[in-house]
């Protein structure tokens, strides 16, 4: 499913990447959070396919979690794959990850980051190794998760309250409940741009607030179903993420000209980018 909000400049590349998949047994649900008819744009550009569907959220401008929840309710497949409206799958991605997700519960691969000037390197090890991630190791990866997940594992862990930083805790909960396979091959081209909320200082404060909610739920709530021996290292991992995010914001404030992606690395992020996840 693809949440779409002001996505007219990038959605054609995203959909073309899905159409080019070696694995062809898929459906693609576009969830419009801004009321725009993206299917009409795609048809006008020659990207028409009966497996493409579009649905609006019930109330516009609800955010990506609401859009994904709407898409999940409409999806008919046994697997759910995350995809943002400005990212691009490599042709072999589904053929690699679908068997792993069916076997382990969920699967993730390395992200090839790029901007308007070209490649920025990869998030995650790219040594070709297959690894089963523990919940703590999933949290230690400083990268966005774009999982392919068995459908029965998705619903209970969408976490609508932590609406801006749900990926790591969702990955940790899935790893604890079933399994999370990591494949050290780049399979998704991840677009980085200064207009992205996740790359802005204001977005950093929203991430900080989300980490606060996550930590509160981990320490005083239902802990997303996590229990010993997984819970304590996951809590430590999120305290580290919160500190790292605050260092990133400080770097941006000290030198606003620093590109967001560079500021994140200078703040100490990207341990998984070099194949060395923090533990």
């Amino acid at each position: 499913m693809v949440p779409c909000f002001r996505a007219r400049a990038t959605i054609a590349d995203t959909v073309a990447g899905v159409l080019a998949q070696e694995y062809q047994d898929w459906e693609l649900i576009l969830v419009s959070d801004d009321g725009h008819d993206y299917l009409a744009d795609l048809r006008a550009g020659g990207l028409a396919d009966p497996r493409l569907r579009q649905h609006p959220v019930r109330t516009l401008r609800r955010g990506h979690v609401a859009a994904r929840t709407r898409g999940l309710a409409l999806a008919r497949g046994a697997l759910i794959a995350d995809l943002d409206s400005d990212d691009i799958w490599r042709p072999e991605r589904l053929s690699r990850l679908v068997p792993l997700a069916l076997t382990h519960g969920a699967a993730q691969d390395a992200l090839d980051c790029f901007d308007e000037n070209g490649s920025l390197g990869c998030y995650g090890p790219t040594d070709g190794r297959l690894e089963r991630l523990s919940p703590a190791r999933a949290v230690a990866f400083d990268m966005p998760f774009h999982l392919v997940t068995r459908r029965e594992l998705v619903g209970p862990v969408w976490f609508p309250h932590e609406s801006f930083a749900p990926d790591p805790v969702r990955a940790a909960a899935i790893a604890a409940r079933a399994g999370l396979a990591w494949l050290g091959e780049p399979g998704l081209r991840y677009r980085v741009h200064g207009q992205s909320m996740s790359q802005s200082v204001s977005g950093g404060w929203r991430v900080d607030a989300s980490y606060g909610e996550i930590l509160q739920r981990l320490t005083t709530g239902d802990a997303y179903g996590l229990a010993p021996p997984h819970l304590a290292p996951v809590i430590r991992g999120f305290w580290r993420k919160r500190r790292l995010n605050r260092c990133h914001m400080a770097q941006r404030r000290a030198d606003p000209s620093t590109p967001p992606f560079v500021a994140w690395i200078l703040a100490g992020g990207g341990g998984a980018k070099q194949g060395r996840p923090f533990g």
Side-chain angles (χ1 to χ4, degrees), residues 62-239:
R62 289 286 308 281
H64 70 100
V65 170
R68 290 192 189 281
T69 301
R70 172 69 168 149
L72 177 63
L74 298 164
R76 298 171 293 196
L79 296 171
I80 303 296
D82 301 340
L83 180 58
D84 290 339
S85 61
D86 55 357
D87 296 335
I88 305 168
W89 285 348
R90 291 190 175 187
E92 64 276 11
R93 188 170 198 251
L94 287 183
S95 62
R96 287 173 173 170
L97 295 191
V98 163
L100 295 175
L102 289 171
T103 299
H104 297 277
Q108 170 74 32
D109 50 13
L111 309 183
D112 179 15
C113 301
F114 73 102
D115 64 9
E116 65 275 9
N117 298 314
S119 179
L120 297 168
C122 284
Y123 268 131
T126 56
D127 54 9
R129 181 176 55 183
L130 179 62
E131 178 182 358
R132 186 181 176 97
L133 298 185
S134 68
R137 191 156 168 79
V139 172
F141 269 63
D142 292 316
M143 60 174 287
F145 279 93
H146 292 257
L147 300 174
V148 178
T149 311
R150 291 205 308 257
R151 183 191 179 96
E152 71 270 18
L153 299 173
V154 175
V157 288
W158 271 96
F159 314 139
H161 298 295
E162 295 79 30
S163 60
F164 204 68
D167 288 354
V169 72
R170 184 162 62 96
I174 290 173
R177 186 178 174 197
L180 173 55
W182 169 270
L183 179 63
E185 298 280 358
L188 182 146
R189 301 192 67 222
Y190 180 78
R191 191 187 304 268
V192 176
H193 50 84
Q195 289 73 39
S196 171
M197 181 63 73
S198 63
Q199 298 293 323
S200 68
V201 174
S202 62
W205 285 115
R206 291 177 63 184
V207 170
D208 184 78
S210 288
Y211 283 158
E213 293 177 26
I214 289 168
L215 284 163
Q216 182 175 18
R217 188 164 165 184
L218 285 170
T219 54
T220 64
D222 64 1
Y224 307 99
L226 292 164
H230 300 305
L231 184 55
V234 166
I235 290 172
R236 289 196 298 269
F238 273 101
W239 276 115

Side-chain angles (χ1 to χ4, degrees), residues 239-250:
W239 276 115
R240 176 196 163 272
K241 281 184 176 296
R242 197 176 198 187
R243 289 194 299 269
L244 181 60
N245 182 61
R246 290 179 176 181
C247 289
H248 169 248
M249 291 189 291

